[in-house]
Each structure stands twice: as structure tokens, then as C-alpha cells.
Amino acid sequence: MFYGVDLTSRLMLGTAQYPSPAVLLEAIEASGAEIITVSLRREGVAGAAFRNILSESRCRLLPNTAGCHTAREAVTTARMAREVFGTSWIKLEVIGHADTLQPDPFALVEAARVLCAEGFEVFPYTTEDLIVGEKLLEAGCRVLMPWGAPIGSGQGLRNPEGLRTMRAHFSGIPLVVDAGIGAPSQAAQAMEMGLDAILLNTAVAKAVDPAAMARAFGRAIQAGREAFEAGLMPRRDMACASTPVFGLAELA
């Protein structure tokens, strides 16, 4: 549940870099996603035509502030997105490093504080830093979106222990792994750790068959969540026989 909205799918899908609108719609349908992200910059290029294409998916839109590097720029973009898309939901990105696209934690918290005060329901793209997470919650956010790895890198979960710690610390807060997921197995790993959802784009958009890849991600995420809820066996340092030694024949 995000900001009081119940959803059945734990996959959130980006809408950039697809070879055609038809392929984009096929991928969205195959994924089972109920939330799709869209950049205001993309909207500025394609206008109402792209908005009409997205409406065919019947998914809930999550506009983002992609490409913003200051709190002021992000806040302005969010305000414009609310007017264009008619939603108070906003995925807040404030990039602090040009190469890694790591979020600027100071500007992120500053922008989140302003937007939450204005009634936005903010989905902040952050790192697995616990202090930054606390500050974002204090600002009014009710969900956190820690990165798995740099955007578009496909590296998967570079700091799984950090994400596990974050899951334990923010036990009642929805956590969405955002960025860096390149394979369904990586998405399943995050879900097995108890995280709540996955947001991805490049791994599907750049696949040879985006619809098939979207379907694979949807299934992997569902399987990972079911495994978490079923209760994964603990890891052991030593072997433990699955067949009991009790009742074996004594040959001596």
C-alpha cells in the first residue's frame, strides 16, 4: 500500500527508452504493473500524444523529477508535473553526482520537506543510508525508495546488507528498490529480503523482447515475495543432513 492506495502488483515500471509506443504498452501489460513512472521532460517533448498512450495502460501515473540537480529545480518540476498529470504523487529525484547518479541527500530532504508541506505524496529516490531515511520520514514521506545500484547499471544489489538493515530499521515503512536492477533474479533477491516492491526501466526497455522480459520480472517478483512470506530457511556454516541418521542399519 502506498499512501492509502492498495495494489496487487509489486512491480513498478518506467516508460523511457522503449523502441516504440506499441512495445511500451505490450511490456506494461505483460508486466502486470499498476504504477508507471513518467518524466515531465518526456511529456514536454511528446505532449498530449504521449499522455494518451500512457492512458491506454490504465495504470496509475507516478511522475518523476528525473534530471534535477537542485532542490529548487526538483520542487519546480514537481509542481509542474502535478498540473500536467493531475496527481499529487511524485517520485522525487535530486541527483548529486553526475557519474553515479547518486542522489544528493541534503537537497533531497530539503525538497521533500517543501513538497510534503504542499500536499505532495512523495516517493524519494535515496540511498540505503538510515539517517537520510529518518530525515525523509520526518519531512513527511511515507515510503522510501533506496537504490540497488546506479541507475541503468544492471549491477543488482550492491549493498544487500545495507538493504537488510534498512528493512529491519524501517519495519513499517514501504521500501521500493529503485535503480540498478538488471535481471529477474536480482529482483527476486530483493523481494526475498522482505522489500516491498521494485521499480525498474532499462532492463525491460532495452531487452531484445521487452514484453517477455517484463513478464519474467513480474513472475520473479511474485516468486520472491511468496518465498519471503513462506519463510526462507536460515543459512548455515556447516552441512546438515536432510535424511535422519536414526534408523539406519548397523552393518558392523
Side-chain angles (χ1 to χ4, degrees), residues 6-22:
D6 281 319
L7 301 161
T8 57
S9 174
R10 295 178 181 272
L11 172 58
M12 303 160 70
L13 201 60
T15 57
Q17 305 183 68
Y18 288 84
S20 72

Side-chain angles (χ1 to χ4, degrees), residues 191-213:
M191 301 307 294
E192 290 171 357
M193 291 162 53
L195 282 89
D196 296 285
I198 305 290
L199 194 161
L200 57 90
N201 188 158
T202 307
V204 170
K206 293 298 185 180
V208 174
D209 186 338
M213 185 62 75

Side-chain angles (χ1 to χ4, degrees), residues 187-189 191-193 219-229 232:
Q189 179 189 7
M191 301 307 294
E192 290 171 357
M193 291 162 53
R219 290 171 176 170
I221 289 169
Q222 181 179 355
R225 182 65 187 187
E226 289 179 1
F228 169 74
E229 292 176 345
L232 293 163

Side-chain angles (χ1 to χ4, degrees), residues 117-193:
E118 294 183 3
F120 281 89
E121 294 170 314
V122 178
F123 294 68
Y125 165 61
T126 182
T127 65
E128 63 275 24
D129 189 287
L130 298 183
I131 305 305
V132 177
E134 291 281 10
K135 296 296 183 183
L136 289 167
L137 295 180
E138 291 172 6
C141 299
R142 291 164 55 191
V143 59
L144 298 173
M145 302 183 75
W147 66 347
I151 294 172
S153 68
Q155 295 177 19
L157 308 183
R158 291 210 305 184
N159 185 9
E161 288 306 315
L163 291 172
R164 287 191 183 95
T165 300
M166 197 175 193
R167 174 71 290 168
H169 186 74
F170 299 112
S171 59
I173 301 299
L175 299 181
V176 181
V177 175
D178 177 17
I181 298 297
S185 57
Q186 297 167 356
Q189 179 189 7
M191 301 307 294
E192 290 171 357
M193 291 162 53

Side-chain angles (χ1 to χ4, degrees), residues 4-60:
V5 177
D6 281 319
L7 301 161
T8 57
S9 174
R10 295 178 181 272
L11 172 58
M12 303 160 70
L13 201 60
T15 57
Q17 305 183 68
Y18 288 84
S20 72
V23 171
L24 167 60
L25 291 176
E26 288 175 4
I28 293 172
E29 182 178 0
S31 72
E34 296 170 89
I35 296 175
I36 54 177
T37 64
V38 58
S39 170
L40 183 65
R41 296 167 188 266
R42 176 71 176 273
E43 166 67 21
V45 173
F50 186 62
R51 198 157 63 242
N52 290 337
I53 291 170
L54 296 182
S55 68
E56 294 181 34
S57 71
R58 300 180 182 176
C59 290
R60 189 180 186 99

Side-chain angles (χ1 to χ4, degrees), residues 80-150:
M80 294 171 63
R82 180 161 62 179
E83 291 297 321
V84 171
F85 297 107
T87 177
S88 61
W89 279 21
I90 191 75
K91 179 192 168 189
L92 179 60
E93 296 182 32
V94 187
I95 301 303
H97 193 277
D99 293 330
T100 65
L101 301 182
Q102 179 173 327
D104 180 335
F106 307 101
L108 179 66
V109 172
E110 179 185 349
R113 187 174 293 114
V114 172
L115 293 174
C116 288
E118 294 183 3
F120 281 89
E121 294 170 314
V122 178
F123 294 68
Y125 165 61
T126 182
T127 65
E128 63 275 24
D129 189 287
L130 298 183
I131 305 305
V132 177
E134 291 281 10
K135 296 296 183 183
L136 289 167
L137 295 180
E138 291 172 6
C141 299
R142 291 164 55 191
V143 59
L144 298 173
M145 302 183 75
W147 66 347

